[in-house]
């Protein structure tokens, strides 16, 4: 079984910000989860490097567009690495293989009779790199995403006859009810289609920084068309000498923020239908990270720098915080203060402390060796609840509900903390008659924590591996498979006492 997942390719007109980090983390969590299920996974991310805004950004810096993108792309590669992304490939739209593929793709649209040359006029937002219908603008006539007035642009361009696909798109939507998630975004895309689709320009004659239209070198392909095709082109050259298209297309899931829904849920499927490709199986549309209730944007000057946060607290707490705090599909307010509270409460107090206590009690009362659970003293409830937690969190990851998966896992973390309070191993240790009970409790804590590590691995992979390491458990890729998440699958017995997994963060630190 294969699972292919993508982030949008990020536009390199500015520095990476938290929005990019959030999308990449969300996609990475799902990629890791599907690898844990033993699936053949391909996780793609990369950079979008053509178009007017790039040329303008380069000019402002006194660079050629190529120099500019060659400086910016590594920042986005670095972001993927910094957040712990396990992407299988990083595509750049200036890769010659991609550019050649894009030309071949638009030739297919032309061969299908879906391209026409026309004079095109429309309201164009340079920040979106996109045209707006007047009816979709803010009441003051500005772009609702950027708050700036679009300009009237008129030129002779090649058109993609999107209007021809209106019925087929509607039918596709009706036959695939859940293909865009959440439901509100599915409805939004469908109603956009059913309002009536206009044909769209897919080339520019006034722009030079882009992929030339293969039959007319005076024009370059519109940056959005160029960008969308990356999801397919990457499969043809990600592994030298191998074409992965049959293995990983259609994509299982495109992950993105809601501002690019229309491109992905309306234009992209129509382009694929025209060129003769299958439609992706799903699209997951997440909300915005807000700061004090406002969208983060360069224009508003409230952009948080993910690199600074990672320097301060590490990538794993950032991954945990964003996935725990902001439900995929909804907007969510984020702040350093919020991160600190989550960190101290969930990671330091509840999980980190549970691990430290368990390991140090095994060290103190059983000389560092996890005891076997004596027959008749097995903690049936704790065992059953642990396996139920794995099933519940898996079902939630399967539904792309990462926040809910974490809630299930933390319910069980709190259950294990209660076990410590209720059984009071420090009292059991004083009574030789209770030795069997103490063995059962210590064994139960280790076995329960192992299940927690496997369940939480997609969100905080390094933490999960560290928990297994401290419990003396095997932690290679094969040991992380979900099929191994059964009670009592302890692979060895010697624990290692170590400093706290999550030292508490002080306010203002
Ligand atoms: Zn805009």
């Amino acid at each position: 079984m294969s699972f292919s997942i993508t982030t949008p390719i990020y536009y390199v007109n500015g520095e990476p910000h938290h929005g990019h980090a959030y999308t990449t983390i969300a996609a990475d969590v799902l990629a890791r989860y599907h690898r844990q299920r033993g699936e053949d996974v391909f996780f793609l991310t990369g950079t979008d490097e053509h178009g007017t805004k790039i040329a303008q950004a380069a000019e402002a810096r006194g660079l050629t567009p190529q120099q500019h993108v060659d400086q910016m792309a590594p920042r986005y590669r670095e972001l993927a690495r910094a957040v712990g992304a396990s992407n299988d490939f990083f595509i750049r739209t200036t890769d010659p293989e991609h550019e050649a593929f894009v030309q071949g793709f638009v030739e297919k649209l032309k061969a299908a009779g879906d391209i026409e040359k026309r004079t095109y006029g429309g309201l164009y937002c340079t920040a979106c790199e996109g045209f707006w219908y007047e009816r979709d603008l803010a009441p003051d006539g500005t772009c609702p995403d950027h708050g700036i007035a679009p300009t009237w642009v008129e030129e002779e361009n090649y058109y993609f006859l999107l209007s021809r696909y209106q019925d087929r798109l509607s039918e596709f939507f009706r036959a695939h009810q859940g293909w865009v998630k959440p439901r509100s975004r599915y409805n939004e895309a469908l109603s956009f289609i059913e309002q009536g689709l206009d044909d769209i320009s897919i080339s520019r004659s006034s722009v030079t920084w882009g992929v030339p239209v293969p039959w007319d070198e005076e024009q370059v392909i519109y940056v959005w068309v160029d960008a969308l095709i990356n999801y397919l082109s990457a499969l043809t050259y990600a592994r030298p000498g191998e074409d992965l298209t049959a293995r990983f297309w259609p994509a299982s899931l495109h992950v993105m923020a809601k501002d690019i829904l229309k491109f992905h849920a309306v234009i992209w499927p129509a382009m694929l239908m025209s060129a003769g490709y299958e439609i992706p199986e799903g699209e997951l549309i997440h909300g915005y990270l807000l700061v004090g209730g406002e969208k983060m944007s360069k224009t508003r000057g409230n952009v948080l720098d993910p690199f600074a946060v990672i320097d301060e607290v590490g990538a794993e707490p950032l991954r945990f915080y964003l996935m725990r705090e902001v439900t995929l599909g909804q907007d969510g307010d984020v702040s350093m203060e919020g991160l600190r509270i989550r960190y101290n409460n969930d990671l330091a107090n509840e999980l980190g402390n549970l691990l430290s206590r368990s390991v140090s009690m095994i060290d103190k009362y059983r000389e560092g060796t996890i005891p076997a659970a004596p027959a008749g003293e097995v903690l049936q409830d704790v065992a059953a609840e642990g396996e139920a937690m794995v099933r519940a969190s898996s079902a939630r990851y399967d539904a792309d509900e990462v926040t809910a998966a974490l809630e299930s896992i933390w319910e069980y973390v709190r259950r294990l903390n209660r076990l410590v309070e209720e059984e009071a191993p420090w009292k059991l240790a004083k009574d030789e008659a209770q030795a069997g009970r103490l063995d059962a409790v210590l064994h139960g804590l280790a076995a329960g924590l192992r299940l927690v590590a496997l369940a939480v691995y997609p969100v905080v992979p390094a933490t999960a591996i560290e928990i297994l390491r401290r419990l003396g458990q095997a932690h290679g890729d094969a040991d992380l498979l979900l099929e191994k998440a059964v009670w009592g699958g302890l692979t060895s017995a010697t624990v290692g006492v170590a400093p706290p997994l999550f030292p508490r963060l002080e306010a203002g630190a």
Side-chain angles (χ1 to χ4, degrees):
M1 195 172 168
S2 77
F3 180 80
S4 58
I5 184 164
T6 66
T7 72
I9 47 175
Y10 302 125
Y11 206 40
V12 298
N13 59 322
E15 289 285 322
H17 56 68
H18 264 301
H20 303 118
Y22 181 59
T23 312
T24 302
I25 290 168
D28 186 62
V29 168
L30 297 174
R32 287 179 185 273
Y33 169 72
H34 283 270
R35 285 193 202 100
Q36 272 192 300
R37 290 184 40 153
E39 294 172 17
D40 183 21
V41 171
F42 185 78
F43 171 21
L44 176 66
T45 187
T47 43
D48 181 4
E49 304 188 0
H50 290 130
T52 324
K53 262 197 105 181
I54 301 292
Q56 286 169 353
E59 206 185 323
R61 298 177 65 210
L63 300 174
T64 65
Q66 189 67 52
Q67 287 171 327
H68 171 80
V69 299
D70 286 346
Q71 285 181 11
M72 294 307 293
R75 294 288 289 153
Y76 285 83
R77 250 186 229 276
E78 211 180 311
L79 178 75
R81 209 185 19 144
V83 300
S86 60
N87 54 298
D88 295 287
F89 190 57
F90 187 98
I91 189 172
R92 298 182 55 185
T93 55
T94 51
D95 292 339
E97 297 92 336
H98 168 77
E99 293 182 348
F101 188 94
V102 167
Q103 291 191 320
F105 190 98
V106 297
E107 290 278 17
K108 286 182 180 164
L109 304 182
K110 187 164 181 264
D114 289 331
I115 301 286
E116 257 180 41
K117 197 173 192 180
R118 288 184 199 162
T119 300
Y120 182 72
L123 291 165
Y124 190 81
C125 171
T126 49
C128 296
E129 293 271 15
F131 284 93
W132 284 92
Y133 296 116
E134 209 157 351
R135 62 170 187 251
D136 295 327
L137 294 172
D140 64 351
T142 60
C143 163
D145 288 336
H146 296 98
I148 53 178
T151 45
W152 183 261
V153 170
E154 197 168 295
E155 54 183 51
E156 193 162 60
N157 294 136
Y158 293 97
Y159 266 58
F160 172 59
L161 305 185
L162 182 63
S163 59
R164 284 189 176 175
Y165 288 88
Q166 180 166 337
D167 291 345
R168 284 179 64 187
L169 285 170
S170 275
E171 274 165 37
F172 179 82
F173 267 74
R174 302 219 176 267
H176 300 83
Q177 295 281 327
W179 95 280
V180 173
K181 289 197 292 189
R183 188 73 193 181
S184 56
R185 300 295 161 206
Y186 168 95
N187 291 339
E188 184 184 331
L190 180 58
S191 84
F192 182 82
I193 291 163
E194 298 193 334
Q195 272 176 33
L197 295 174
D198 292 335
D199 298 334
I200 55 161
S201 163
I202 61 144
S203 72
R204 294 283 179 277
S205 59
S206 56
V207 179
T208 52
W209 180 241
V211 181
V213 171
W215 60 86
D216 182 350
E217 298 250 311
E218 298 298 302
Q219 304 241 354
V220 301
I221 294 163
Y222 176 40
V223 62
W224 261 107
V225 170
D226 169 2
L228 287 165
I229 297 169
N230 95 87
Y231 299 128
L232 266 171
S233 72
L235 298 174
T236 64
Y237 69 99
R239 307 253 166 90
E242 206 182 337
D243 190 328
L244 302 174
T245 312
R247 195 161 140 201
F248 292 115
W249 195 264
S252 311
L253 197 64
H254 289 325
V255 181
M256 75 202 74
K258 61 189 178 183
D259 56 340
I260 53 179
L261 171 72
K262 191 171 70 181
F263 292 102
H264 282 80
V266 180
I267 298 173
W268 178 227
M271 285 167 57
L272 290 166
M273 286 171 179
S274 172
Y277 288 95
E278 285 184 76
I279 311 301
E281 287 159 7
E283 298 193 344
L284 175 62
I285 318 299
H286 66 71
Y288 293 141
L289 299 185
L290 306 177
V291 175
E294 285 215 326
K295 191 194 166 190
M296 255 186 248
S297 81
K298 213 174 147 189
T299 330
R300 295 199 178 100
N302 62 353
V303 176
L304 295 180
D305 174 10
F307 293 109
V309 176
I310 291 167
D311 272 353
E312 195 178 325
V313 299
E316 301 257 316
L318 176 64
R319 291 172 66 102
F320 177 79
Y321 174 63
L322 294 179
M323 291 299 108
R324 179 65 187 78
E325 201 69 24
V326 187
T327 301
L328 287 172
Q330 296 171 16
D331 293 347
D333 228 37
V334 295
S335 66
M336 273 311 287
E337 187 49 26
L339 193 159
R340 230 173 262 124
I341 291 167
R342 273 281 171 214
Y343 176 107
N344 283 336
N345 189 55
D346 298 18
L347 294 177
N349 290 357
E350 294 184 327
L351 178 60
N353 207 18
L354 174 67
L355 177 69
S356 299
R357 287 164 105 186
S358 302
V359 166
S360 70
M361 289 189 296
I362 292 165
D363 184 59
K364 191 168 171 190
Y365 304 132
R366 291 296 180 262
E367 284 147 359
T369 299
I370 299 171
E377 282 284 4
V378 181
L379 306 175
Q380 298 289 1
D381 291 356
V382 180
E385 287 166 37
E387 292 189 345
M389 174 276 291
V390 172
R391 283 193 301 275
S393 62
S394 297
R396 285 162 170 179
Y397 286 124
D398 277 327
D400 310 322
E401 293 167 0
V402 178
T403 302
L406 289 172
E407 281 165 1
S408 304
I409 298 165
W410 251 257
E411 251 172 59
Y412 189 64
V413 167
R414 287 189 284 270
R415 173 72 179 90
L416 293 177
N417 277 311
R418 276 202 311 279
L419 177 71
V420 175
E421 297 309 321
E422 287 162 11
E423 298 284 342
W426 48 93
K427 286 183 192 159
L428 297 176
K430 289 180 185 150
D431 181 357
E432 199 45 48
Q434 299 283 3
R437 187 68 190 168
L438 180 57
D439 282 348
V441 171
L442 297 177
H443 179 93
L445 289 170
L449 270 163
R450 181 178 154 276
L451 295 183
V452 167
L454 292 176
V456 83
Y457 167 82
V459 179
V460 281
T463 300
I465 287 169
E466 182 60 14
I467 292 171
L468 294 173
R469 206 183 62 76
R470 291 189 187 187
L471 292 171
Q473 303 303 303
H475 47 267
D477 288 349
D479 305 299
L480 297 168
L481 291 174
L482 276 177
E483 65 190 38
K484 302 288 175 64
V486 288
W487 186 257
L490 297 175
T491 54
S492 100
T494 311
V495 302
V497 178
L501 203 50
F502 295 103
R504 283 185 64 85
L505 291 177
E506 298 310 324

